Amino acid sequence: MRAVTAPTPGGVDALQVVDRPVPDPAPGEVLIRVTAAGINRADLLQRQGHYDPPPGSTDVLGLECSGDIVSVGEGVTDLQPGAHVCALLTGGGYAEYVSVPAGQVATVPLGISLVESGGLMEVASTVWSNVFMMGKLQHGETLLVHGGASGIGTMAIQLGKAFGATVVVTVGSAQKAEFCRELGADVVINYREQDFAEEMKAAGLQADVILDIIGAKYLAANISVLATAGRLVVIGLQGGIKAELNLGALLAKRAAVMATSLRARPTGEKAAIVSAMVAQVWPLITDGTVRPIIHATYPLDDVRLAHQVLEESSHTGKVLLTL
């Protein structure tokens, strides 16, 4: 089968389409013939040599995919060959076939295509686990999302609104700002022109939950806009890894700072996240309340171009590879 690796860390030219054996599903796994695979920031980091796969995992890139089940391993009874599914992966999505634990697989929700679902599992699982399971966002609270036009951001806007939150987002262009407003964001702040903390304070807004992809650069400002008992959930480090934390400000607000990643979690934890997410999110997709936002699709051979689009942050929503 064809698959994409980055044997030598570097820019987009490091990506190589190679031949690999088709994997066999181990007990508890299913083998998927891949139709589409989502591209995520973590894939860019892996290509650059900054985010190695967990020990024992494939070096083929790709943290989510959609496709048809070809075969199932011993002990799998609730998924059958021929089923249209999407999957949360530890790696291996940029390939014609991938083997994955059955607990990280779900049938494609009604109302969207098999290709669209290729960019669904990573963003939906990330938002559900961080905003709702860890952040415990409640109806009537305020959610601040950094990077509102990203795949994660567009999903967070929709789910935040679906569960009755006021949603504030930061974006990097007027075009992205307008898109996020159309998607349902209540307040949109262009971080290239405005200071998000100052804008929120001027509007009398405080965040009960913050979903942050920036990290160190935004730490102090994030804490300054947290509400009493607010929850800051850091899922990315685009703005650095080290910053000074004012514990006094955190203490005064009885607030919490959490940092999480999804990829390295044990299989059982991932399965629990997928199960909870599917139960809550799939009905919203089926009835049209929530939809995957697809910026563009590229064939596997154009993987370098697809990575370039994500690296330039010129996208709105998800970028997909199709096979």
Side-chain angles (χ1 to χ4, degrees):
M1 68 174 188
R2 294 186 303 152
V4 177
T5 65
T8 302
V12 296
D13 289 343
L15 296 167
Q16 304 291 329
V17 180
V18 299
D19 288 323
R20 286 289 175 86
V22 175
D24 292 318
E29 294 185 341
V30 301
L31 179 65
I32 298 172
R33 180 189 297 111
V34 177
T35 296
I39 296 179
N40 293 278
R41 289 272 171 195
D43 302 336
L44 275 60
L45 292 173
Q46 180 175 334
R47 186 202 77 215
Q48 294 161 357
H50 302 315
Y51 192 28
D52 292 336
S57 301
T58 178
D59 63 340
V60 175
L61 283 74
L63 300 180
E64 59 185 342
C65 74
S66 62
D68 301 318
I69 294 179
V70 176
S71 60
V72 302
E74 181 182 348
V76 176
T77 59
D78 55 343
L79 293 167
Q80 299 297 326
H84 296 333
V85 296
C86 46
L88 179 69
L89 311 172
T90 304
Y94 293 15
E96 292 178 316
Y97 295 87
V98 64
S99 190
V100 57
Q104 295 166 213
V105 178
T107 54
V108 173
L110 297 174
I112 65 171
S113 70
L114 190 57
V115 170
E116 286 177 304
S117 68
L120 183 59
M121 284 291 271
E122 174 74 14
V123 293
S125 297
T126 295
V127 173
W128 188 257
S129 62
N130 289 290
V131 173
F132 295 93
M133 296 177 73
M134 291 194 66
K136 301 186 185 302
L137 182 70
Q138 302 295 312
H139 186 280
E141 291 190 327
T142 296
L143 169 66
L144 169 60
V145 180
H146 292 300
S150 66
I152 287 174
T154 54
M155 179 59 65
I157 292 170
Q158 295 179 85
L159 288 180
K161 295 304 298 179
F163 285 90
T166 296
V167 179
V168 182
V169 301
T170 62
V171 297
S173 72
Q175 179 184 7
K176 290 182 178 182
E178 182 58 29
F179 184 88
C180 289
R181 289 189 190 96
E182 293 175 355
L183 205 55
D186 297 285
V187 178
V188 182
I189 301 167
N190 187 333
Y191 65 81
R192 298 188 191 278
E193 301 174 354
Q194 302 164 298
D195 182 290
F196 78 87
E198 291 180 1
E199 292 297 317
M200 287 185 66
K201 291 171 185 176
L205 289 169
Q206 291 184 308
D208 298 285
V209 177
I210 301 175
L211 186 63
D212 177 44
I213 60 172
I214 301 299
K217 182 180 178 180
Y218 277 6
L219 180 61
N222 277 333
I223 291 174
S224 76
V225 300
L226 273 179
T228 299
R231 291 83 71 193
L232 167 60
V233 187
V234 180
I235 61 169
L237 302 171
Q238 294 180 35
I241 63 174
K242 293 183 179 181
E244 187 173 280
L245 173 61
N246 184 340
L247 289 174
L250 201 63
L251 189 68
K253 294 186 175 185
R254 306 192 305 277
V257 177
M258 298 167 274
T260 73
S261 67
L262 188 56
R263 185 182 196 181
R265 293 193 189 203
T267 299
E269 288 188 20
K270 290 181 182 177
I273 289 169
V274 168
S275 177
M277 181 274 294
V278 167
Q280 296 291 334
V281 178
W282 263 218
L284 297 173
I285 295 174
T286 297
D287 69 17
T289 302
V290 173
R291 59 190 174 94
I293 306 299
I294 309 301
H295 176 80
T297 62
Y298 296 89
L300 187 71
D301 288 333
D302 287 341
V303 62
R304 294 177 178 178
L305 178 58
H307 265 231
Q308 189 68 45
V309 170
L310 206 70
E311 205 156 73
E312 293 171 349
S313 292
S314 58
H315 62 298
T316 300
K318 293 291 295 189
V319 177
L320 305 179
L321 292 177
T322 54
L323 293 97

